[in-house]
Each structure stands twice: as C-alpha cells, then as structure tokens.
Amino acid sequence: MITGGEIAAGDALGPAGLGVLGTASGVKAVRSAEEVNAAMRARGWEPAWSPGTPVIETILQPGTRVNMIVDKKTAESIKDKTSFAPGGWATFDDVSSLTNDMRQRLAINRDFKPTSKGPFFVVEMEVTQQVKSNIGFVGGQTQRIGMLSRGGGTQIHFDESIKGDHRNFFIRPISQPKILE
C-alpha cells in the first residue's frame, strides 16, 4: 500500500517516482540532495546526488529488481557462479550504453570504474531480503582529468553498513551480464 508521504515523495521524484516507491515499504525520510551530499563530503566522499532533488530513505522489498554495472572480473564470477562482492549502488534505469548510460547518465566515471577494469557489463539483480536504501537522482561528477559526467539517472545506494560479499544476503543476480557497448 502506498501512503500519502510516499505519494508526495513520488511526486517529487517525477513520473517514475511512484513506480519506484511501489517496491518499497514506506518512506522513512525525505532529505534534500544538498543535505545528503554535505554528509558525503564530510566523510571524504564525492557527492552523488543531483542538487535540488529529494533523496528518499526507504526499505526495498524482496522481489525488487535493479540494474547494476559490474566490471569484467565480477561479470566472470557471475557467469561462473563463483563468489563475488556486489557493489553498493544500482539503478532502476535500463542500461545498454557505456558512453551514454554508464559514463554520462549514471555518472560512473573513470575514477570509480577505471577503463582498465573493463569491459563493463549490466546485470539485473533482485532484492532477496528487505534492505534499507536511499533512492534519488544521480548528480553530475567531474573526474580528476576534468571531464564532466552529467548525471540525471536514478540511483539506489544500499545500506552502507552492508559491505562486500555480505551484500549477497540481500541481492542476487537474476540475469547473465550483458556487455555495455
């Protein structure tokens, strides 16, 4: 059931908002991107959220499907069904292009995923246990080499207390990795 707070938050997220929030168990908090980005800066992290947009803290429910960008090593582990550590970020967006989707819309720049770790793949993941997450819009990123990634896509940041291979208890791959062209 979607509550009034979720409707307000969904309206703030835009046309895809209510669909995204339909996979959650209620909005726990709605904060400004500026507030969340300031907390990231205080920890020495690059701000990840698009200024002027909401960041919604929620609980993703089992069965929720997301897309995750993975490097060559992780893609091989998924294909071989061997151990791997899922990343802490995902998207609800369709992803098929290295340049337009990964590098620009999702702003996954070379500082985060260096070209040397490629090629890169998208894999559909499914939430298997409730997981606290932040949902919002990707902010632009400037790489050390001065190149700008514009952002604007949706992003999910899984609870940061769940690290490395422990994320396998909360999300699992449900598709074979597809190479990004």
Side-chain angles (χ1 to χ4, degrees):
M1 173 177 253
I2 295 177
T3 66
E6 288 176 279
I7 291 170
D11 287 346
L13 275 177
L18 289 178
V20 167
L21 291 173
T23 64
S25 70
V27 172
K28 306 301 179 199
V30 178
R31 295 177 289 161
S32 71
E34 289 77 10
E35 178 185 353
V36 180
N37 285 341
M40 292 180 81
R41 273 189 212 92
R43 297 177 78 184
W45 295 5
E46 276 297 310
W49 305 94
S50 183
T53 64
V55 177
I56 297 172
E57 182 182 315
T58 190
I59 306 290
L60 291 180
Q61 294 300 306
T64 303
R65 292 181 175 195
V66 300
N67 288 312
M68 187 175 285
I69 308 296
V70 299
D71 61 18
K72 180 181 178 180
K73 181 180 175 186
T74 303
E76 288 171 354
S77 294
I78 292 169
K79 287 177 188 175
D80 297 340
K81 298 185 185 205
T82 58
S83 178
F84 73 98
W89 296 81
T91 184
F92 289 111
D93 298 352
D94 290 330
V95 179
S96 60
S97 163
L98 176 72
T99 303
N100 293 329
D101 295 331
M102 179 180 150
R103 296 289 188 207
Q104 285 299 316
R105 194 166 39 90
L106 298 176
I108 302 172
N109 65 40
R110 287 168 183 82
D111 295 337
F112 299 126
K113 290 199 186 291
T115 303
S116 62
K117 301 281 185 178
F120 296 99
F121 299 78
V122 62
V123 63
E124 188 174 24
M125 305 288 277
E126 182 176 63
V127 174
T128 58
Q129 291 188 47
Q130 290 185 345
V131 61
K132 182 179 164 187
S133 303
N134 284 325
I135 299 171
F137 292 104
V138 178
Q141 298 286 324
T142 302
Q143 300 174 58
R144 280 182 247 158
I145 58 172
M147 210 166 117
L148 175 68
S149 299
R150 73 178 182 276
T154 66
Q155 66 184 356
I156 302 120
H157 183 208
F158 299 115
D159 185 347
E160 63 190 62
S161 69
I162 304 166
K163 303 232 184 269
D165 62 358
H166 188 64
R167 287 191 195 107
N168 285 310
F169 294 109
F170 295 88
I171 56 175
R172 68 179 176 90
I174 58 170
S175 73
Q176 286 297 309
K178 297 175 194 151
I179 195 163
L180 297 177
E181 303 285 338

